[in-house]
Amino acid sequence: MAMVNQAASPGLGQRPPRPPKTPLSRRKSISDKLDMELAKEDVRRDDQERLDELINNLSSWLTQLLGIPVTSDTFLSTLRDGVILCTVANNINAAAVRFKTANPHDVGTMLPAKGINKYHKRCQPYSFHARENITKFVRWASEFGVGDALLFNSDELITGNGKKVALCLQLSLGKRSSLSQR
């Protein structure tokens, strides 16, 4: 009977032994890790550049739409009391009503059921009333068809996480734009 060298072949469910690390393989491993970190940093930088561009465009759009000065530097702080968000929702709702009136047979377009009638027009950022305004806008955006992945909560806006806020606003304003272009 022939003897099988068990050291040379692993058993069922066992991994084969790893080759010993050499200085060259260690350098390659470190190099691979550095390349991966650099690639991740490039992606983060690209994401930040796109977010900055989006916020700049939204700031211009809000200035044009509402006639109030909004810059990319003041974008989040302008929205923190929720008043502008509710105003945008009502503006979009007004465009939707005009669209429904002009196109009574169009049933394929998702439109908001109503605007935000009661909100706190004069409140301090970070206050309970500000959070309530933001929550009303988010609820309205959800009813308007903005996906859950793009919705945000009041804490995200108040703490300065602008990515979801910007994306949610972009989608809402984009839908409004498409209504006025029809």
Side-chain angles (χ1 to χ4, degrees):
M1 194 173 353
M3 294 289 284
V4 177
N5 183 357
Q6 291 192 358
S9 63
L12 187 61
Q14 295 178 343
R15 290 187 196 178
R18 290 186 178 181
K21 289 205 173 199
T22 64
L24 181 60
S25 68
R26 278 191 207 111
R27 269 189 256 137
K28 187 176 182 207
S29 175
I30 291 171
S31 175
D32 288 347
K33 288 179 183 176
L34 286 174
D35 287 345
M36 183 62 81
E37 287 302 314
L38 288 172
K40 286 180 184 177
E41 182 60 33
D42 285 346
V43 168
R44 280 191 290 266
R45 193 175 316 111
D46 287 347
D47 284 351
Q48 187 59 47
E49 287 172 4
R50 279 185 288 225
L51 179 61
D52 291 345
E53 184 179 334
L54 173 61
I55 288 175
N56 190 34
N57 290 340
L58 285 170
S59 299
S60 298
W61 204 352
L62 286 172
T63 298
Q64 181 182 0
L65 183 69
L66 303 175
I68 57 167
V70 180
T71 67
S72 56
D73 294 333
T74 63
F75 178 75
L76 288 176
S77 61
T78 303
L79 303 177
R80 283 199 174 120
D81 63 5
V83 173
I84 299 297
L85 295 172
C86 292
T87 304
V88 166
N90 288 334
N91 185 291
I92 292 171
N93 189 66
V97 168
R98 288 190 301 273
F99 178 81
K100 283 180 188 177
T101 303
N103 304 287
H105 301 293
D106 186 342
V107 293
T109 306
M110 183 159 196
L111 300 173
K114 60 184 184 227
I116 302 171
N117 294 327
K118 294 184 180 181
Y119 63 97
H120 306 280
K121 293 178 177 72
R122 295 177 192 223
C123 62
Q124 296 297 315
Y126 311 106
S127 68
F128 172 78
H129 293 299
R131 289 176 186 272
E132 197 172 69
N133 285 348
I134 295 165
T135 301
K136 286 180 179 184
F137 172 79
V138 171
R139 194 174 309 125
W140 173 87
S142 175
E143 291 171 4
F144 189 34
V146 175
D148 290 344
L150 297 178
L151 296 176
F152 57 94
N153 61 42
S154 57
D155 288 337
E156 288 174 307
L157 175 56
I158 288 172
T159 58
N161 180 1
K163 188 173 188 173
K164 278 187 162 182
V165 176
L167 291 171
C168 182
L169 252 178
Q170 179 192 28
L171 189 56
S172 298
L173 288 171
K175 286 186 171 196
R176 185 232 183 261
S177 172
S178 69
L179 290 175
S180 61
Q181 292 176 0
R182 290 185 181 185

